[in-house]
Amino acid sequence: MPKIVSARVIVTCPGRNFVTLKIECDDGTTGLGDATLNGRELSVASYLTDHVVPCLIGRDAHRIEDVWQYLYKGAYWRRGPVTMAAIAAVDTALWDIKGKLAGLPVYQLLGGAARDACMVYAHANGTTIEDTIEVAKAEQAKGYKAIRLQCGVPGLASTYGVAKHGARYEPADADLPSESVWSTEKYLRVVPELFKAAREAMGWDVHLLHDIHHRLTPIEAGRLGKALEPYNLFWIEDPTPAENQEAFKLIRHHTTTPIAVGEVFNSIWDAKDLIQNQLIDYIRATVVHAGGITHLRRIASLADLYQVRTGCHGATDLSPVAMAAALHFGLSVPNFGVQEHMPHTDETDAVFPHAYSFDDGMMHPGEAPGLGVDIDEDLAATYDYKRAYLPVARLEDGTLCNW
Ligand SMILES: O=C(O)[C@@H](O)[C@@H](O)[C@H](O)[C@H](O)CO
Ligand SMILES: [Mg+2]
């Protein structure tokens, strides 16, 4: 048996923070797992180092399911983003090890390729509708078949999903949470205009997506979904916060625009009612935040029964280790929908050399055994952790609202 002899947490900041778990077996085989929880990174690092690593030493690295159950049931305190990101990192690293020991890419262990490659969606954002469409056309020219559009809201100084002064979009941008102002009324005026203009400029042969980022009430979301129906969106994402899964019934009663939810979910229980009642069309839970490949497969299996497809979160706060895991998962799962793709910076890619690739709007995890991602620890050590928070949002009268 491959015995776990060490497990270490590596925190690095090549432009943004990443937390990576590296597990090593007695024969020298190593595996990597992403444990990054944007804006709360060190809590997962501590959970792993102080509470999980001591329980791993001496265990059989092949017993992935048993280790998962041990960490989940054994903690007594179930679920939650910190716990589940830590379990995810262990699980992902163990799949990486199993693949390396078998000499096979992880997707082969998951049943093999169920498609040739994974369709990914790009991001296009701009301060104005015109700027946004210009970026979207440039992404289309790179081959992307699906593009998420976010534009500035007239009358608001900044908007979720829109980069400042043409910089790369990276929300965790400040040493303390920055504050932005939100107006639902102003937002609801501009979004249908954006998609009307996008269809006029780009035609109908491209999938268009939009992220509402938890900001509307159910009835407002129903209204927006209905207003967007003529433009045939691939999905609207996170229309309303999903703590109350029943709330989505109201949205469903008013619109046929498909709905994607789940980037903040950390277990199957967060998604159960949404899936079983067919209140969503795409489940966005990820390997890193929802308990690893093992648990995400369980969520996808439930979703498949109800014709809900996957659309995993893939913003830049998910490391290349998570991206690789997402692609192995996406290539093999029967009900794959789409994968988010927000390319990492060159600095990040240099710290995490990887086998996955992009070609004509599609991505493939590559054929390297395991996940096909490495970490250059010497380079990683040159980038110190830098505290960075996600912003908060307030209504125009100062009331704190959902960011
Ligand atoms: O759809 C998305 O990619 C997002 O909603 C993210 O940008 C999200 O805001 C960040 O991952 C938060 O860390
Ligand atoms: Mg989102």
Side-chain angles (χ1 to χ4, degrees):
M1 78 168 191
K3 197 161 104 182
I4 298 174
V5 292
S6 84
R8 284 181 298 119
V9 173
I10 302 160
V11 179
T12 182
C13 185
R16 66 158 353 282
N17 295 312
F18 293 111
V19 177
T20 310
L21 178 70
K22 185 169 187 173
I23 296 181
E24 190 174 347
C25 299
D26 52 357
D27 70 345
T29 309
T30 59
L32 297 179
D34 183 20
T36 309
L37 186 62
N38 206 10
R40 295 291 186 270
E41 299 86 0
L42 298 183
S43 55
V44 189
S46 158
Y47 191 104
L48 282 165
T49 305
D50 298 327
H51 305 295
V52 171
V53 168
C55 305
L56 292 178
I57 309 303
R59 279 182 194 280
D60 179 354
H62 268 327
R63 296 185 62 177
I64 299 179
E65 184 67 43
D66 184 67
V67 171
W68 197 96
Q69 299 293 338
Y70 184 89
L71 294 175
Y72 184 81
K73 294 177 178 160
Y76 184 65
W77 310 106
R78 293 178 184 217
R79 309 192 276 153
V82 176
T83 299
M84 297 305 279
I87 295 177
V90 174
D91 183 80
T92 310
L94 294 183
W95 279 104
D96 193 17
I97 289 170
K98 197 183 276 297
K100 286 178 184 169
L101 290 174
L104 290 170
V106 167
Y107 78 82
Q108 294 290 13
L109 307 179
L110 302 177
R115 57 196 49 76
D116 299 334
C118 301
M119 180 172 76
V120 293
Y121 69 87
H123 285 242
N125 63 73
T127 325
T128 63
I129 290 178
E130 295 68 34
D131 293 351
T132 308
I133 292 174
E134 204 174 303
V135 178
K137 281 177 150 175
E139 295 302 306
Q140 202 179 9
K142 290 179 197 163
Y144 284 101
K145 302 172 199 325
I147 305 174
R148 184 188 107 162
L149 306 184
Q150 309 290 138
C151 75
V153 176
L156 297 183
S158 65
T159 312
Y160 161 77
V162 179
K164 288 176 198 133
H165 330 292
R168 285 177 76 95
Y169 178 66
E170 191 59 73
D173 60 355
D175 189 39
L176 285 173
S178 57
E179 302 218 351
S180 54
V181 176
W182 176 249
S183 159
T184 295
E185 295 71 24
K186 291 181 173 132
Y187 167 78
L188 286 178
R189 273 202 295 275
V190 75
V191 180
E193 287 174 28
L194 168 66
F195 284 91
K196 181 170 189 281
R199 281 300 179 207
E200 279 164 10
M202 300 173 72
W204 298 85
D205 279 344
V206 57
H207 298 301
L208 299 179
L209 296 73
H210 180 68
D211 192 350
I212 300 171
H213 219 255
H214 326 268
R215 295 189 175 199
L216 300 179
T217 64
I219 197 68
E220 289 162 352
R223 185 176 133 205
L224 180 60
K226 199 164 162 181
L228 292 173
E229 278 171 23
Y231 314 117
N232 208 6
L233 266 64
F234 188 87
W235 77 36
I236 48 171
E237 175 184 337
D238 287 332
T240 200
E243 284 101 329
N244 176 14
Q245 299 184 35
E246 277 210 17
F248 284 75
K249 281 187 188 157
L250 189 62
I251 307 175
R252 278 297 212 215
H253 286 157
H254 290 283
T255 182
T256 55
T257 295
I259 298 173
V261 175
E263 67 184 37
V264 302
F265 289 179
N266 48 68
S267 88
I268 197 165
W269 301 102
D270 294 324
K272 179 178 160 286
D273 295 348
L274 287 174
I275 292 171
Q276 288 183 333
N277 295 317
Q278 293 177 295
L279 298 177
I280 56 171
D281 302 281
Y282 296 91
I283 175 72
R284 277 180 55 69
T286 63
V287 168
V288 47
H289 299 134
I293 292 172
T294 298
H295 195 64
L296 197 60
R297 284 178 96 202
R298 204 152 280 150
I299 296 175
S301 298
L302 175 67
D304 192 31
L305 298 180
Y306 298 92
Q307 301 189 48
V308 173
R309 292 186 284 163
T310 66
C312 297
H313 186 201
T316 39
D317 45 298
L318 284 71
S319 90
V321 178
M323 189 63 192
L327 291 170
H328 287 282
F329 165 79
L331 196 67
S332 61
V333 75
N335 51 329
F336 173 80
V338 72
Q339 167 66 46
E340 180 175 7
H341 183 219
M342 215 175 171
H344 289 107
T345 59
D346 292 344
E347 287 84 351
T348 297
D349 283 338
V351 170
F352 297 97
H354 50 76
Y356 60 77
S357 58
F358 171 89
D359 181 36
D360 200 28
M362 311 291 282
M363 288 183 76
H364 193 283
E367 301 298 339
L371 293 172
V373 188
D374 211 343
I375 184 163
D376 181 335
E377 289 198 56
D378 292 335
L379 188 58
T382 64
Y383 297 110
D384 289 338
Y385 171 77
K386 195 161 170 270
R387 193 175 69 198
Y389 284 100
L390 289 169
V392 296
R394 291 186 188 276
L395 302 179
E396 287 167 296
D397 70 356
T399 307
L400 198 92
C401 59
N402 298 315
W403 173 71

